[in-house]
Amino acid sequence: MSETGTESRPLARQLPDPKTASNVRYNPSLEDLRELASPDETTTEYGSPSYVSEYRSRSADRTKNAVDHEFSEADYDVLETAVEAASEREMVCVDRLMGRHPNATFCCRLFVPVEFARIALAWANLFEPTDGRDPDLHTVQVPDADETAIRVLPDEGFTAVLGSDYTGEAKKSFLRLFMYRAKQRGGLGLHAGSKRVTVRDADGDLRIVGQLFMGLSATGKSTLTSHGCWLEEPEEAVMLQDDVCALLPDGSVAGSEGEGLYIKTIGLTEEEQPGLYRAATDESAVLENVAVDEDGTVDFDEGRYGSNSRAVVQRDELESADDEIDLDRVDQVFFITRNPLMPPVAKLDEKQAAVAFMLGESIETSAGDPSRAGESIRVVGTNPFIVGPEGEEGNGFYDLIERLDVDCYAINTGYVGNESVDVGVTESVTILTEVARGTIEWTDDDRTGLTIPEEVPGIDVEEFYVPDHVDDYDEALAELRADRRAYLEEFDELRDELADAVY
């Protein structure tokens, strides 16, 4: 860190006190925020507000943090520009609580110009109202700044977002630091959904299973996390968190968002995702970049504003959402992939799980880089918001799951082989349910080198055997393993024993 580091510039302390500053409207109600945002609103047929932003995805290539990047004077100028805006312009300031866990709860303070109150409205619907404590984390978002730049001071807990009016930047500015704080406390922040499943095992006894789902946006994470698994009492499946969690040293999983979910809506249907559809069509939802006509008609299929259409929906509108957001203990972790050389599900040992964590194999989505949507990509931990060395993140994940005795799986929610066999929601949910019940019979398959199901109740697993659907499978697998190995060698901090566990 240079002499212009955070120690000499405590920028968060220079922000105005919103309770006394004449230029700040402090903690307006949701109704008042909607009124402030009314010039930008199209009211939907459901009575909910809908807005269109200029930026429709995160500006990852314009984001830097002071842990992984050496900040220059220009970087600190970005931060100071945000502070000046908060002090001089007419602003809205909203405080919210992120998390409920005794070891992972933070007060977050967001400043946005009044003319962009829609950002504050959507963001405020995700988190619970403050209990009056002083803020731990600060973000100032100035969408109409001359340049687009996001600069983060992780240790100070301060983020400046300039030149972007995308709500996701506000949301992730706090969740990024939630995960960083978890790591500082001996745990690990995860871009993951969490779920508690109560099922009957093979002996007919009820068992409670804690599940985590790690995946990039638009790979089915929300769908699998929120799905009720077609269970009937006394069995049940309830969603705790949809997006970001913290795996703590005692095996518990702290949630972050207590009020809402920021879901993708493109292609949302009542048939495939009934719970999310009902929540998105409730008047409590806040829509962003969704195709809405002047008369309020909503079309979730039309990509009028790109494919990263979103909605902030309320947990209370989801039947599968539990009152709690924290998981007492995690038992199973699922890595969601769309790699066509992977079976619908494979059971991983601890080292293979660390490899899966580091690979983070999926496809690029419109939430990340719309120009590359659909391309195969790798993102460590399927988490684009890691602060600190990524190799150390993989080591930390391995240490936690080994000590906590967590079972790990890779689950393919895309196609098997050359797009000839689709792994649908029905198959994926059935697999999750039977994994929880412990009824799947596993076998070590020599050709794939994986532990795969020999039998899954309700599914003809032979239909999904990957080698049957890939031309020159052995050659393709060899190329994939070589490519994976070369990728893992890029991370100097990753232990050799983990890099050597490529599957």
Side-chain angles (χ1 to χ4, degrees), residues 183 186-188 190 247 354 357-358 389-404 493-495 498:
K183 183 163 57 175
L188 198 64
L190 300 174
L247 176 56
F357 178 93
M358 290 299 300
E390 293 174 318
E392 290 183 0
E393 202 93 356
N395 296 336
F397 178 79
Y398 172 76
D399 291 340
L400 282 168
I401 62 169
E402 182 186 40
R403 179 161 51 80
L404 297 170
E493 300 87 356
L494 185 67
R495 295 173 195 154
L498 302 182

Side-chain angles (χ1 to χ4, degrees), residues 277-477:
Y277 182 87
R278 285 193 296 270
T281 54
D282 188 81
E283 65 178 352
S284 63
V286 179
L287 275 57
E288 182 178 54
N289 302 324
V290 175
V292 180
D293 295 333
E294 290 185 5
D295 64 359
T297 302
V298 177
D299 187 346
F300 290 129
D301 287 326
E302 183 190 340
R304 185 179 307 176
Y305 306 110
S307 57
N308 192 32
S309 54
R310 293 276 179 170
V312 175
V313 302
Q314 293 301 287
R315 291 175 58 90
D316 290 346
E317 299 302 324
L318 285 168
E319 293 182 4
S320 63
D322 196 61
D323 292 336
E324 299 297 323
I325 66 172
D326 299 329
L327 184 62
D328 290 338
R329 176 179 169 79
V330 61
D331 300 292
Q332 299 169 346
V333 174
F334 295 86
F335 298 94
I336 303 174
T337 183
R338 292 281 175 95
N339 189 321
L341 291 181
M342 292 298 293
V345 66
K347 189 173 184 179
L348 309 175
D349 62 30
E350 289 90 346
K351 292 179 180 178
Q352 288 176 325
V355 169
F357 178 93
M358 290 299 300
L359 292 174
E361 287 181 336
S362 191
I363 56 171
E364 181 61 89
T365 70
S366 51
D369 185 349
S371 68
R372 298 180 56 204
E375 293 183 15
S376 297
I377 60 169
R378 292 185 175 123
V379 179
V380 173
T382 62
N383 180 7
F385 312 101
I386 291 173
V387 177
E390 293 174 318
E392 290 183 0
E393 202 93 356
N395 296 336
F397 178 79
Y398 172 76
D399 291 340
L400 282 168
I401 62 169
E402 182 186 40
R403 179 161 51 80
L404 297 170
D405 193 26
V406 177
D407 293 328
C408 296
Y409 306 85
I411 184 167
N412 182 359
T413 59
Y415 290 93
V416 167
N418 303 319
E419 297 194 359
S420 56
V421 180
D422 182 16
V423 184
V425 173
T426 298
E427 288 80 16
S428 294
V429 171
T430 299
I431 286 168
L432 297 180
T433 305
E434 299 307 326
V435 167
R437 286 175 171 154
T439 56
I440 294 180
E441 295 184 16
W442 300 93
T443 184
D444 294 329
D445 183 68
D446 291 337
R447 191 167 185 197
T448 63
L450 295 169
T451 301
I452 61 175
E454 189 171 29
E455 183 177 338
V456 178
I459 298 178
D460 180 6
V461 292
E462 292 185 2
E463 178 186 351
F464 297 93
Y465 188 57
V466 181
D468 292 343
H469 303 284
V470 178
D471 296 334
D472 301 320
Y473 171 79
D474 296 325
E475 180 180 345
L477 180 60

Side-chain angles (χ1 to χ4, degrees), residues 85 106 113 130 147 149 164 172 214 234 239-240 267 287 317 402 408:
F106 306 94
T130 179
E147 66 173 318
S164 172
K172 289 302 185 183
M214 300 180 61
M239 181 201 72
L240 302 179
L287 275 57
E317 299 302 324
E402 182 186 40
C408 296

Side-chain angles (χ1 to χ4, degrees), residues 249-276:
D250 64 355
S252 63
V253 180
S256 57
E257 296 168 296
E259 290 287 335
L261 290 74
Y262 190 51
I263 66 169
K264 278 186 67 87
T265 59
I266 194 73
L268 185 66
T269 65
E270 189 171 12
E271 294 73 27
E272 285 286 325
Q273 300 151 298
L276 294 177

Side-chain angles (χ1 to χ4, degrees), residues 51-58 110 112 116-127 139 141 143 161 164-175 257 262 286-289 308 310-312:
Y51 308 100
V52 177
S53 63
E54 179 181 356
Y55 280 66
R56 291 162 192 164
S57 62
R58 298 185 305 273
L110 173 68
V112 296
F116 294 96
R118 60 178 171 80
I119 297 173
L121 172 65
W123 179 81
N125 272 282
L126 292 168
F127 300 101
T139 293
Q141 186 164 358
V161 179
S164 172
D165 63 343
Y166 181 54
T167 300
E169 294 287 10
K171 168 187 160 77
K172 289 302 185 183
S173 72
F174 294 106
L175 294 177
E257 296 168 296
Y262 190 51
V286 179
L287 275 57
E288 182 178 54
N289 302 324
N308 192 32
R310 293 276 179 170
V312 175

